[in-house]
Amino acid sequence: MPLRHPLAVLALAAATVIAVAPHASASADTVSARTAVASKPTEAVQYVQDSLYAAGDSGYLHRRANADGSPGPYTWRGYDGTERTLDTYSGALPGQYGYYGTGSDTVLASEQYAGGQARLLNPATGAAIDVTVPDGQYVAAAFGSTLITQEYNEVWQAVRLHVLRVSDTGAIVSDLPVDPPGSQFFHKEQTVLAGDDNSALIRFRHATAIGVLDLTTGAITEVSTHATDDDPLRLQAALSPTHIAVYHEGAAQARVVRRDDPAGAQTAVTVPQSSTGTAFVGLAGEWLLTSYRPPYGTTPGPGGPLLATPLEGGAPSTLLESAEPQIAQVPDGGAVVVGPSADGTWTAQRVTVAPSGKLALQVL
């Protein structure tokens, strides 16, 4: 069985509390992304490390540090303010150590790439479903009641994926095998970049393309990445109801396609760069979101800004002057991020899209 990514242990690193004074000005938590504004507290922000793992229809999974800076419990917080602590979760972060995914209020609570048994957990209700995984298959990701597994050949190349549909009792209703296109192999670790109930974005062994996997038919559509080197682990991808974005870390641009036409025309969107962190991308409406991940092994801190760049081109706007690097996509649109609110609290906020197309921040 393949080993977990060695950097996964960083998800368990202790948090640090730091006082930060942002510099942008705004008087409310609702922010228009057509102007470069962000929340400004009247007092210094108390930074508390708060890592995002997934966002669902009714809430999000995160891990906020305790008052003494030690790691807190994995917690599901509903958008209505309700909370539930998770007893088990392995802590995979999207785009960094593998992606567990959520297409609903369901997360994979068991270990990624484990064979034998898998557990799907609805943190909103506490309901759990135990699934017996077919022999020779290893779980790569979960989206709602759908498991994506992979199988290997004798030299541990990922030669096939399986899309497993699961009933409420844990029975496998269907097992759809998926072969890679042409002479490709799937990347054997961190195979799934993003996904939801309908589609998943898949890494190949080479970074020249990603695959858009239709979870109903098993068909794969390739999307060119224009990668600057052949390292697929440097690929990121985001999936919204209308768009797909793929980004090769360090590149000056992300490539965006319409979700209803992934093989169609690509839009190149500038990704603002930082000398002190790696850009991390997301999507909200007609905007590319960008946050910044500090170098591995550095002390946790407030990080770079959260920016929004219009897909049709134009200068980026600042949504938050500082933010955690993770951007958790919400299945029905928008995203969840963490940064300073107007009252000085370092907290999770939802990026929403108004009917006008403008973005707003809602403190959760």
Side-chain angles (χ1 to χ4, degrees):
M1 192 180 87
L3 298 175
R4 290 178 60 81
H5 197 283
L7 292 174
V9 295
L10 293 180
L12 304 179
T16 305
V17 179
I18 303 171
V20 182
H23 304 290
S25 61
S27 58
D29 293 334
T30 299
V31 181
S32 168
R34 280 294 178 190
T35 56
V37 294
S39 300
K40 179 186 178 182
T42 55
E43 300 177 357
V45 173
Q46 283 296 116
Y47 171 75
V48 181
Q49 186 180 8
D50 196 346
S51 297
L52 292 170
Y53 294 87
D57 296 312
S58 67
Y60 61 98
L61 177 60
H62 71 129
R63 194 184 195 193
R64 187 174 178 86
N66 295 315
D68 62 359
S70 62
Y74 295 104
T75 302
W76 178 266
R77 181 174 175 84
Y79 300 132
D80 60 2
T82 58
E83 289 190 337
R84 183 184 297 270
T85 299
L86 276 66
D87 294 328
T88 58
Y89 184 73
S90 69
L93 285 173
Q96 295 185 32
Y97 319 126
Y99 184 68
Y100 278 33
T102 179
S104 63
D105 294 332
T106 302
V107 296
L108 182 67
S110 53
E111 185 176 342
Q112 194 179 32
Y113 300 111
Q117 291 290 125
R119 168 162 284 198
L120 296 174
L121 176 66
N122 184 327
T125 65
I129 299 173
D130 291 316
V131 182
T132 299
V133 180
D135 289 342
Q137 297 183 29
Y138 299 87
V139 177
F143 300 102
S145 59
T146 300
L147 283 173
I148 299 177
T149 65
Q150 54 199 59
E151 60 177 283
Y152 303 87
N153 61 16
E154 63 279 1
V155 292
W156 289 108
Q157 293 171 320
V159 294
R160 182 172 292 115
L161 301 181
H162 291 259
V163 180
L164 306 181
R165 298 288 185 179
V166 179
S167 72
D168 292 341
T169 63
I172 296 175
V173 177
S174 63
D175 181 342
L176 179 64
V178 179
D179 294 318
S183 59
Q184 282 270 22
F185 288 105
F186 298 112
H187 199 273
K188 66 181 180 180
E189 294 185 77
Q190 305 185 41
T191 312
V192 180
L193 285 154
D196 59 20
D197 279 341
N198 300 309
S199 305
L201 306 182
I202 306 296
R203 275 191 178 100
F204 297 124
R205 181 175 59 176
H206 298 294
T208 54
I210 66 167
V212 182
L213 171 61
D214 186 311
L215 297 181
T216 299
T217 66
I220 290 181
T221 302
E222 292 186 67
V223 176
S224 176
T225 64
H226 299 266
T228 54
D229 62 47
D230 197 27
D231 182 357
L233 289 180
R234 293 178 63 196
L235 286 171
Q236 303 175 21
L239 188 70
S240 79
T242 54
H243 293 88
I244 296 167
V246 58
Y247 175 62
H248 195 258
E249 293 179 1
Q253 295 175 324
R255 302 287 168 159
V256 180
V257 296
R258 293 284 309 179
R259 183 163 177 172
D260 56 9
D261 186 19
Q266 293 190 355
T267 299
V269 183
T270 298
V271 175
Q273 300 297 303
S274 168
S275 59
T276 59
T278 300
F280 190 87
V281 301
L283 289 165
E286 297 292 324
W287 302 83
L288 183 78
L289 303 178
T290 309
S291 59
Y292 296 91
R293 187 174 62 217
Y296 291 118
T298 58
T299 302
L306 176 69
L307 304 177
T309 302
L311 298 183
E312 74 269 18
S317 299
T318 303
L319 295 181
L320 293 169
E321 282 294 326
S322 56
E324 296 281 7
Q326 302 92 22
I327 300 172
Q329 299 290 152
V330 178
D332 64 356
V336 176
V337 298
V338 175
S341 64
D343 66 359
T345 304
W346 189 266
T347 188
Q349 302 178 54
R350 186 168 180 173
V351 181
T352 60
V353 185
S356 65
K358 292 183 178 181
L359 302 183
L361 291 174
Q362 175 191 0
V363 173
L364 298 175

